[in-house]
Amino acid sequence: MQILLPCFYSFVACVAYCMCVNLRGWKMVWASLGGAIGWGAYLLFSFVNHDIFQYFMSSLAVSIYSEAMARLNKSPVTGFLLVSMLPMVPGGGIYHAMEYAVSGNTEQFMSVGLHTFGIAGALALGVLLVSSTVRLTGTIHREKRLELARLLRQRENSKKPGAKS
Amino acid sequence: MDYNQLVFVGTEIGRLLVKYGAEIYRAEESMHRLFSAYGVSESHIFAMTTCINVTVCQPDGVPITRICRVEDRCIDLGKIDRLNSLCRHACTQRPPLCDIRREVRKIDLDSGNSKPLRALGFAGVAFAFTLFYGGNAADAVISSFTGLLVYWMQDFFLRYRANSFFSTILESAAIGLVCFVAAHMDPGLNADRMIIGSVMNLVPGIAITSFMRDILLADYLSGMLRFVESLLVAMAIALGVGAAMVFTRLLWGV
């Protein structure tokens, strides 16, 4: 229950956000489910007790999910990623940093601010890893297919003169 | 084959993609695919978040260049999705250009979800994120009201094309004021949870994912532009809420 409830909240929030950005139909449901999955991954890794690592794992989960959903729905990955990363935006960190800045607590402001930056970096790294890997495998696949086609053509060409002679 | 028309349609698709928040890479790739599907052997495209430059070489060697300014940007994933499938369709079926042009216009003019539904979306984002960040039910209800307020303000500012930095400051200040006043009236409410939840309406989701994707796809210029933009928005939010916080503290001496 403790895991399910926040995931449900993030799902509802993502559905509402989809309404704001005009994402409709099944894509809305899939994209919002990504938000719930991301937060579920965050909570699953809570035994590590290191929130930057948790954010990294959840962004990894969300990016893998979004890439898969984009392939399945034949729709740009941007939409899925944008919606399902929303619950991971470190709003609390920014707010508390601002609060410390207003009350003149510079030390706390710096430490909370840098921590928030670290979270953003972890999220970035997760997305980067997954989307680069996907692109790399796509390119390798395409190159191999081209190579194969070239080989086949060469073989056919070499066969033809042989048949003639 | 009317190359002028082709360049016009291609640039229009690219402009709308950039305008509604797709990555630069996607816009450039879509235009490139469209041009090569219609038999252009050489096309050079340079897109940024604010401007698109396209040069297409006609078969007789005369180039056509079009520069297109992207004015106001907003996030509309539904339109990106439709433009993407239109582009796919155009590349495989190669329908007449005037058909694509009509279709693009239709997508551009589509006003999307109705106003009440969008307002409900704003209220829902604030409501659900307040619960998500650990607020109680009463906090969530107050936040959903601030969500409606933000929707109304954003609608107003967009209609009169106000500066986005300025409007974000005002919106976040309004959120801060409502939440601090409500928390002052009823000590059972958590001002911080309400504010963090409501501010999610202003935090552009595009901030974190898009600029990063632009940078890692080697569109450094656009990535930096978006990064600076998102930093400015974050600063504007902090300024607005901070101003509201200082104001209420001075008023009640908390």
Side-chain angles (χ1 to χ4, degrees):
Chain A
M1 200 61 200
Q2 265 176 343
I3 286 189
L4 284 183
L5 211 55
C7 291
F8 177 69
Y9 292 150
S10 67
F11 179 78
V12 173
C14 290
V15 168
Y17 185 66
C18 286
M19 281 188 209
C20 300
V21 293
N22 292 334
L23 204 63
R24 276 172 261 187
W26 276 104
K27 281 171 197 144
M28 177 167 100
V29 179
W30 293 129
S32 308
L33 206 59
I37 287 174
W39 201 251
Y42 177 87
L43 292 177
L44 269 184
F45 281 92
S46 56
F47 64 87
V48 209
N49 247 335
H50 188 278
D51 64 341
I52 291 188
F53 179 74
Q54 282 169 273
Y55 274 112
F56 172 71
M57 291 315 281
S58 63
S59 99
L60 217 58
V62 161
S63 344
I64 292 172
Y65 174 82
S66 309
E67 295 280 350
M69 277 299 139
R71 297 290 175 289
L72 285 180
N73 284 310
K74 290 203 182 343
S75 164
V77 66
T78 330
F80 294 104
L81 211 54
L82 211 79
V83 172
S84 33
M85 288 289 268
L86 195 65
M88 277 170 264
V89 174
I94 298 172
Y95 175 81
H96 290 300
M98 187 276 305
E99 199 178 18
Y100 289 128
V102 166
S103 26
N105 195 340
T106 326
E107 242 167 68
Q108 283 290 324
F109 163 68
M110 279 312 278
S111 95
V112 173
L114 284 181
H115 188 79
T116 310
F117 234 81
I119 292 172
L123 293 179
L125 196 65
V127 177
L128 187 147
L129 271 180
V130 172
S131 71
S132 303
T133 313
V134 167
R135 285 172 66 80
L136 186 67
T137 46
T139 318
I140 290 174
H141 196 71
R142 204 163 50 232
E143 295 276 311
K144 278 206 170 151
R145 220 163 42 198
L146 284 177
E147 187 90 345
L148 206 68
R150 201 161 54 229
L151 273 177
L152 280 176
R153 216 176 307 133
Q154 262 176 12
R155 195 169 296 166
E156 270 175 22
N157 284 349
S158 61
K159 261 181 195 171
K160 268 178 199 165
K164 264 180 194 170
S165 66
Chain B
M1 179 81 189
D2 185 356
Y3 284 91
N4 275 310
Q5 176 98 324
L6 177 65
V7 172
F8 181 81
V9 169
T11 329
E12 202 58 17
I13 290 180
R15 185 179 75 86
L16 292 182
L17 277 174
V18 173
K19 180 179 170 185
Y20 292 122
E23 312 96 312
I24 298 301
Y25 154 80
R26 184 173 304 285
E28 285 183 352
E29 179 96 350
S30 303
M31 283 189 271
H32 196 80
R33 285 215 178 129
L34 186 78
F35 291 145
S36 40
Y38 279 86
V40 174
S41 55
E42 204 187 334
S43 61
H44 298 274
I45 298 157
F46 175 64
M48 277 200 304
T49 46
T50 49
C51 183
I52 298 174
N53 306 330
V54 174
T55 294
V56 161
C57 280
Q58 297 183 60
D60 55 5
V62 181
I64 303 176
T65 298
R66 208 175 127 82
I67 294 177
C68 193
R69 182 85 165 91
V70 185
E71 313 89 21
D72 44 347
R73 274 169 293 129
C74 52
I75 305 174
D76 193 325
L77 301 175
K79 284 184 181 175
I80 292 181
D81 189 27
R82 285 170 67 188
L83 283 167
N84 189 58
S85 46
L86 173 69
C87 207
R88 248 171 222 271
H89 170 75
C91 289
T92 50
Q93 311 285 327
R94 274 190 278 168
L97 285 171
C98 50
D99 285 5
I100 307 180
R101 193 171 170 177
R102 203 177 313 125
E103 202 64 29
V104 169
R105 243 187 101 68
K106 212 167 80 187
I107 293 176
D108 189 21
L109 292 178
D110 185 4
S111 55
N113 284 339
S114 63
K115 280 192 169 185
L117 203 59
R118 285 172 69 90
L120 186 70
F122 271 82
V125 167
F127 183 85
F129 271 119
T130 306
L131 289 176
F132 180 70
Y133 285 118
N136 54 34
D139 293 339
V141 172
I142 302 273
S143 306
S144 60
F145 279 114
T146 64
L148 287 179
L149 183 69
V150 166
Y151 171 73
W152 180 76
M153 287 177 86
Q154 222 167 56
D155 200 43
F156 176 81
F157 286 131
L158 269 182
R159 195 183 316 149
Y160 297 107
R161 285 182 292 281
N163 179 308
S164 70
F165 189 61
F166 169 75
S167 58
T168 309
I169 293 181
L170 285 190
E171 282 155 11
S172 57
I175 289 175
L177 272 183
V178 169
C179 294
F180 283 125
V181 168
H184 185 74
M185 304 260 191
D186 179 2
L189 297 171
N190 311 305
D192 52 346
R193 312 271 179 228
M194 286 194 284
I195 289 175
I196 298 169
S198 322
V199 152
M200 291 305 280
N201 271 320
L202 303 175
V203 172
I206 201 163
I208 286 206
T209 39
S210 256
F211 85 76
M212 227 153 53
R213 283 174 67 79
D214 275 343
I215 286 181
L216 71 94
L217 294 170
D219 290 312
Y220 303 113
L221 205 54
S222 312
M224 286 319 283
L225 282 178
R226 281 198 172 137
F227 177 64
V228 170
E229 193 187 355
S230 62
L231 269 189
L232 273 179
V233 171
M235 220 157 70
I237 293 172
L239 271 179
V241 176
M245 187 184 261
V246 170
F247 182 72
T248 47
R249 276 186 187 175
L250 285 179
L251 211 58
W252 293 305
V254 183

